[in-house]
């Protein structure tokens, strides 16, 4: 009789666990954040319309937060905060834009008013100039023309009349022997009518007369400058003499092209100035060469050596001696003078002790010539 085998107990297989939902990946979160920030910036730049969008977003976030069993309250809080930022930023940008727009409008209006005022003034002056009779005093027309300021601002239709007024007033002053006052007016007339031969002739006559009047006062001044130049030259003050001669030449040059420059007095002064300049020129050239040589020597010397605040030694000298001494360790500084500039060198007199070739310690005094921070020559006392 066969024995039945015990039945094997089979355990039930475990049921599969549900897979938890995966959250958003990091790149997705970053991209979404960038879009949100970009939207916030765009909304804030809109100004007041952006503020309306911010309020709408805030209302939506509040509605989500107040919803029962809402699973997105954290997101609603973050959205509400972002909406508040958008609202505040948009209001600020809106106010700033309004201020800029108002300022621009005010500036445009101010420019328009100034342009209108300028045109009105121009029209008024032009009409008044045109209404003046030919027999009117020229000063009245000159005053009206001067009210434009610059000649370029005189309207085209008034330029001829203003030119005539300046010419008439210039002639009037010229007849009164007031060439200095006539020349500026005639120059304005010449600018308004450059091809007018009558204006050119009158202006030339006025300049000649003014030149004669000016030379009466400036001629003696030139003589005084030449006398001072001669005194400086005798005292070997060459640069002061040159300065006086330059001033005299500049005064004489103002009369070039005028009849005064052909007069005996002018030529005498010009000849004296040339003669004095010829006399001092070699001295000036020599002085210039000396200065250039001095400048070169300063560059060759280099910076001035400095005595040590501890023992008065000069580092350049000490470094040199320790390189050339028989026993550098035996160097002992005694005294050093302050560096003195001479030609292309800094010269230092220094006394020191050191062992000689026989081992004896002796006292030495030498003159050290230094250039560019190095001893280049040594001389005995």
């Amino acid at each position: 009789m066969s024995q039945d085998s015990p039945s094997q107990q089979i355990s039930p297989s475990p049921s599969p666990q549900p897979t938890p939902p995966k959250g958003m990946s990091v790149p997705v979160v970053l991209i979404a954040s960038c879009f949100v920030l970009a939207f916030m910036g765009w909304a804030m730049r809109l100004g007041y319309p952006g503020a309306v969008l911010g309020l709408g977003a805030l209302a939506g976030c509040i509605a989500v937060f107040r919803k029962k069993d809402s699973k997105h309250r954290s997101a609603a809080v973050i959205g509400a905060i972002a909406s508040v930022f958008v609202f505040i930023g948009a209001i600020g940008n809106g106010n700033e834009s309004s201020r800029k727009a108002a300022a621009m409008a005010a500036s445009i209006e101010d420019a328009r008013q100034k342009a209108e005022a300028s045109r009105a003034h121009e029209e008024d002056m032009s009409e008044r100039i045109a209404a003046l009779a030919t027999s009117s005093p020229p000063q009245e027309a000159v005053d009206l023309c001067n009210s434009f300021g610059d000649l370029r601002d005189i309207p085209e239709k008034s330029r001829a009349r203003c030119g005539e007024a300046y010419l008439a007033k210039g002639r009037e002053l010229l007849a009164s022997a007031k060439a200095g006052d006539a020349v500026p007016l005639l120059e304005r007339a010449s600018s308004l009518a450059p091809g007018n031969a009558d204006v050119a002739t009158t202006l030339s006559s006025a300049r000649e007369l003014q030149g004669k009047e000016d030379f009466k006062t400036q001629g003696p001044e030139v003589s005084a400058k030449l006398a001072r130049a001669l005194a400086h030259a005798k005292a070997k003050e060459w640069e002061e003499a040159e300065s006086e001669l330059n001033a005299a030449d500049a005064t004489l040059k103002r009369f070039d092209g005028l009849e005064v420059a052909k007069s005996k007095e002018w030529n005498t002064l010009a000849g004296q100035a040339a003669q004095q300049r010829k006399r001092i020129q070699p001295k000036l050239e020599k002085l210039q060469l000396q200065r250039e040589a001095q400048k070169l020597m300063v560059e060759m010397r280099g910076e001035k050596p400095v005595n040590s605040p501890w023992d008065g030694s000069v580092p350049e000298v000490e470094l040199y001696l320790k390189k050339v001494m028989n026993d550098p360790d035996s160097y002992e500084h005694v005294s050093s003078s302050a560096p003195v500039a001479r030609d292309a060198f800094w010269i230092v007199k220094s006394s020191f002790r050191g062992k000689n070739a026989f081992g004896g310690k002796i006292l030495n005094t030498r003159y050290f010539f230094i250039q560019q921070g190095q001893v280049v020559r040594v001389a005995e006392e």
Side-chain angles (χ1 to χ4, degrees):
M1 181 174 177
S2 63
Q3 189 176 1
D4 294 336
S5 62
S7 62
Q8 296 180 350
Q9 187 176 2
I10 301 174
S11 60
S13 60
S15 59
Q17 297 293 327
T19 304
K22 295 182 178 180
M24 290 188 295
S25 62
V26 173
V28 173
V29 172
L30 291 176
I31 293 173
S33 300
C34 291
F35 274 109
V36 170
L37 291 174
F39 172 77
M40 290 175 63
W42 171 77
M44 284 190 283
R45 283 196 298 270
L46 288 178
Y48 295 132
V52 175
L53 289 176
L55 282 177
L58 179 61
C61 292
I62 293 174
V64 171
F65 183 83
R66 296 182 63 183
K67 187 177 180 181
K68 289 184 178 181
D69 301 329
S70 176
K71 298 179 180 179
H72 305 289
R73 288 188 172 180
S74 298
V77 171
I78 296 174
I81 295 173
S83 300
V84 170
F85 276 113
V86 169
F87 176 77
I88 295 174
I91 288 292
N93 283 336
N95 292 338
E96 182 65 23
S97 299
S98 298
R99 284 194 294 270
K100 288 182 178 179
M104 183 176 293
S107 177
I108 293 173
E109 179 62 21
D110 183 58
R112 186 187 65 80
Q113 291 179 0
K114 287 182 178 179
E116 289 182 355
S118 177
R119 283 195 296 270
H121 175 265
E122 180 180 309
E123 290 294 332
D124 179 54
M125 291 297 104
S126 297
E127 291 175 1
R128 292 172 64 182
I129 291 171
L132 288 175
T134 309
S135 58
S136 300
Q139 185 62 51
E140 187 175 352
V142 167
D143 291 339
L144 291 174
C145 294
N146 286 341
S147 66
F148 289 105
D150 195 278
L151 289 178
R152 292 171 295 184
D153 297 331
I154 297 178
E156 188 64 33
K157 58 184 177 182
S158 301
R159 295 178 72 85
R161 184 69 181 89
C162 286
E164 294 172 0
Y166 288 131
L167 175 59
K169 185 61 180 178
R171 283 175 171 169
E172 181 182 297
L173 292 171
L174 199 57
S176 303
K178 297 179 180 179
D181 296 330
V183 168
L185 292 174
L186 293 171
E187 287 176 345
R188 293 175 74 89
S190 178
S191 298
L192 292 172
N196 192 316
D198 192 15
V199 174
T201 302
T202 307
L203 177 58
S204 177
S205 300
R207 285 174 173 167
E208 290 290 348
L209 182 58
Q210 183 184 18
K212 292 178 181 179
E213 292 177 354
D214 290 344
F215 191 71
K216 289 178 182 179
T217 57
Q218 296 182 17
E221 293 178 4
V222 173
S223 297
K225 291 173 183 176
L226 293 177
R228 289 194 295 269
L230 183 60
H232 285 305
K234 289 181 178 179
K236 297 183 179 181
E237 298 170 345
W238 312 117
E239 290 184 321
E240 290 78 358
E242 183 188 28
S243 178
E244 292 290 350
L245 288 177
N246 289 341
D249 285 340
T251 303
L252 291 172
K253 193 173 180 62
R254 296 174 191 167
F255 301 96
D256 283 349
L258 301 177
E259 289 297 322
V260 174
K262 300 177 183 179
S263 66
K264 180 180 179 181
E265 294 82 359
W266 188 93
N267 282 282
T268 299
L269 293 174
Q272 291 176 359
Q275 186 177 5
Q276 289 196 35
R277 188 175 294 278
K278 184 178 179 181
R279 187 182 301 120
I280 70 169
Q281 192 61 36
K283 307 297 183 181
L284 289 171
E285 292 175 356
K286 182 179 179 181
L287 182 61
Q288 181 64 24
L289 290 175
Q290 290 175 349
R291 287 184 172 175
E292 291 177 358
Q294 183 66 25
K295 181 180 179 182
L296 180 60
M297 289 181 183
V298 170
E299 293 176 354
M300 291 177 64
R301 282 198 297 265
E303 293 187 6
K304 182 179 180 179
V306 179
N307 294 80
S308 170
W310 301 103
D311 58 1
S313 63
V314 177
E316 290 83 353
V317 173
E318 185 173 341
L319 181 63
Y320 171 79
L321 288 174
K322 288 185 177 181
K323 286 182 179 179
V324 300
M325 287 178 64
N326 291 316
D327 185 358
D329 294 334
S330 67
Y331 170 78
E332 179 184 340
H333 174 260
V334 177
S335 64
S336 291
S337 66
V340 177
R342 184 183 300 170
D343 297 333
F345 306 96
W346 291 106
I347 301 178
V348 174
K349 180 182 179 182
S350 182
S351 298
F352 57 95
R353 290 188 178 90
K355 291 183 180 180
N356 58 16
F358 302 101
K361 204 167 190 179
I362 58 174
L363 177 66
N364 297 278
T365 300
R366 298 287 187 274
Y367 287 97
F368 296 87
F369 294 75
I370 302 172
Q371 275 186 349
Q372 299 295 332
Q374 293 184 348
V375 175
V376 296
R377 197 172 81 193
V378 180
E380 294 186 359
E381 188 177 13

